Amino acid sequence: MLIVGFLGWWYGAGWRARMVAIGERLAKTFDFFSVDLLLRTWFAPFRQIGTDQAQPGLAGQMRAFFDQLVSRIIGGIVRTIMMIVGTFVLVATGIAGIIEGILWLFVPWFPVVGAILFAVGWVPYAGV
Amino acid sequence: MQEFNYHSIRAEKARFGNAIVGLWRIVLVVVAIAFAIAGAAFFMVGEAIGWLLLGATAIPVVILEWHRGELFDVPNGPTEKLSDTLSSALLGGIPKHPTPLDIAQAAMKTPSGQFMAVRFGLTSNFFANIISNDTSATPQVWELALRTQQEAGVPQITGAVMAVALTRSFAGYETILAHMKLEDEDLLQGIAWRQHLRELRQIHQAPRRTGGIARDWSFGYTPLLDRFGRNISAQLASGGMLRTNLETHHKALAAMTDTFSTRGRQNIVLVGPSGVGKSTLVYAFAEQLLDAGSTLPSHLKFRQVIMLDSAALIAAAPGRGELEGLVMRVLSEAHRAKNIILCLDDAQLFFEEGIGSVDLTNVLQPILEAGAIRMILTMDEQRLLQIGQRNAVLFNSLNRVNIAEPDRREVIRVLEDKIIVVEHQRKVVYTYHAITEAYRLSLRYIHDIAMPGRAFKLLEAAASYADGSFVTSESVQRAIEETVGVKVGVATDEEEREKLLNLESLIHERMINQTRAVSVVSDALRRARAGVRNQERPIGTFLFLGPTGVGKTELSKALADVYFGGESRMVRLDLNEFVQPEDVSRLIADGAEDPNSLTAQVMKQPFSVVLLDEIEKAHPQVLTTLLQLLDEGVLRDIKNREISFRDTIVIATSNAGAERIREYIDRGYKLEQFEEQITNELISSGSFRPEFLNRFDEIIVFRPLTKPELLQIIDLILKGINKTLALQKISVTVDDDAKMYLVDRGYDPRLGARPMRRIVQRTVENTVAKLMLAGNASAGQTVSLSLADVQSIFASEDAAKQVIEETTS
């Protein structure tokens, strides 16, 4: 009875919960890198550096414009790097999640598999 | 009828789950690690047994995973039936054919059952004494458990629900609850409290969306704000806080969101008394902004709420000009950063001149009007009105949100949340009684701060009086007794009980006769300390009628001295100084302006005797003001604070009708025979209005003193004089005939015994002083005064009269 209950949970609610946990992990990674926010603010001034109110006159306005431009370029570079890193980590986390989800299905059979391999007597390093 | 299915799959899972706790969990972890290491090691040496061990590693791993995912808290079954709704912690502990006692024992082993034991006193021993051990009573318990679960509105029958159901199953349930000073509603509140804590834990364990690493990259650096402010959002992001979802806060939070979402003036002023939760509301708002999953507009999400520190600003810029410059730079930084919501807590500090405050209206007003920076201000109603009086433009530019004081139920919920932090910090546990007692007592004794702040303040203080790390209602009572100097608990210690039982004789040690008055007052005090009086009124309200010098004031003093802790515990007001209608304001003046007003003195000393002398001379408006005091035991002061007189004995004295009392006595009437008549005469003569006299618990007539009583008074006075002379090691005795002589000289029908003290003191002290100076009296000696000695001092009638005149003048 208990074994049935265990298998029912492992391949039912347990697996679904695992999938939710993997999804949460992906969401957390996504939240950490906030790729959508990076995209929306790709060329926004970085940390508002140099965005003081422009001095009067053309020279002042030009200076403010160039300050802003530098700030936006810095922002663009930093955000691009972060988007690349974020995408890489997200993909890696996703692949790890898929492997975990598949592996989950086989874990209860590991003792049986182990017993069969033991009976066969094969070992990976035998004779090395 | 509900039946318990011991063999259901859910029950089996629950039992297995309960078994894998503590040591067994450790064993499983150790076995898994050992198998994995051993398996790998065998592989390394080329042994096939490594497969067997590695495969076996999966067994403890899947058990642990199953426990974490399901067995630890087996979800409810598909139906509303008993076996599907019992919590797994409880279900796993119930035997096959349980008696109510078995169920109680299982419930007490669950965390929520232990919660009820600690907070409400529903312990295993308690159930062992009241619960049946007969299986025939079990179905009734199941029925009650299901009903209790539905009433409490919780998803499972937990140990807490079962504890309440078991208590309800007892035939003498009402009596038991009354004995425990609990009500049925309190127990349901306990279940809700436990459930709330469980939900809070889930909220804290749930993954948080913080906005990520790039969240603030588009916003500016804020070095000045970091220096002169406290970033609430950063605090919340790092540690989080416990949330209480209060009805009273919903509207205010919605108003704040609404104001900051639209294009109008970007400011909110939270108006409410201190302690009502304005700062908590700011925290709640800041927390809402940090929630990436909320439905807030994107231009509000992740905005940082920074509370400006006025003291730090003033300290950094001593000159006015410098300060204004600094504030301008701070505001400019907030504007430039683009993600700052500034909070000015106790905002009046920024709008008025004073110690620790400075008027920055010129700097702040244009910003508030233009709405260039989002700002939250907090202040109380009075301060806001003062600002409005001074500057109508500024007042009109503020978006006001009123924060109302929460009701009792909500206050209790807030306290349940807030004590968790105190429990952690002080290593104590609060019982539910402590919380409700803190609410009750703080309402009465703590002023200048609103709920829930006032009750929380008391609970914090009570932690110092914990008994074996438990903060109980007694701890709260002790805290208030120590801080306010009032006695709130039922008299339990032997010394006090003795004092209460012998109050009359103790008072008579310094007062002669007037036995009825002494007995009535003593009874009132005994009722109060036994906890059987009406808590919504003063301990006692008495009107003492009678001629001058018969002991009316002396009884009040004696009472203050014997029971209230000294004559200084008497608040005395001569109402002949309150003869104008405008004198009412002096009666209820604020303590800061007039420390001698009635309300100020009682606020400072709520456990005292209040003596209202010569009440007949007070203006009718003053008497009307006192009606509420006599009726409900409260008086509102000029600031509209409710001052409690519920721990005072209020004694009003009056000479009105004194002549009539003397007449009755001279005609041979006893007090009991004319007391009512005197009262009626006072009403018909217009001295007092009937509704005023009816407010007193008792109207007590003091009768004039007789000569034998005056002789006893002389003995009391001599006792006092000997006490003073004890420092010189000299004692004085006066012969009986000399005492009689003093009575003749000192008694005046108009003034009663009042001149007596002066006469005796002058006679005895003068004589002793002369003897000491002449070297005829020395330490260890007893000076005996004869009739001749006394007569020599009062050689003539005039001398005595002169003394009397001095007394009356």
Side-chain angles (χ1 to χ4, degrees), chain B residues 717-732:
Chain B
I717 297 169
L718 281 174
K719 207 171 152 186
I721 291 171
N722 273 324
K723 213 171 169 183
T724 315
L725 290 174
L727 286 172
Q728 275 80 35
K729 310 281 182 204
I730 291 173
S731 65
V732 180

Side-chain angles (χ1 to χ4, degrees), chain A residues 43 45 49-50 63-75:
Chain A
F43 293 104
I49 299 166
R63 187 175 164 184
F65 172 77
F66 280 109
D67 280 354
Q68 282 252 350
L69 192 65
V70 171
S71 179
R72 285 175 190 277
I73 290 168
I74 294 171

Side-chain angles (χ1 to χ4, degrees), chain A residues 18 31-32 47-48 52 122, chain B residues 51 65 212-213 217-218 336:
Chain A
R18 177 57 46 182
D31 179 62
F32 179 77
R47 281 294 191 180
Q48 301 290 326
D52 279 346
W122 174 78
Chain B
W51 286 118
E65 187 61 27
I213 195 168
W217 283 0
S218 305
R336 211 170 51 241

Side-chain angles (χ1 to χ4, degrees), chain B residues 572-584:
Chain B
R572 183 174 181 169
L573 244 71
D574 287 323
L575 290 186
N576 59 12
E577 294 169 13
F578 293 81
V579 292
Q580 302 295 328
E582 55 270 23
D583 289 334
V584 171

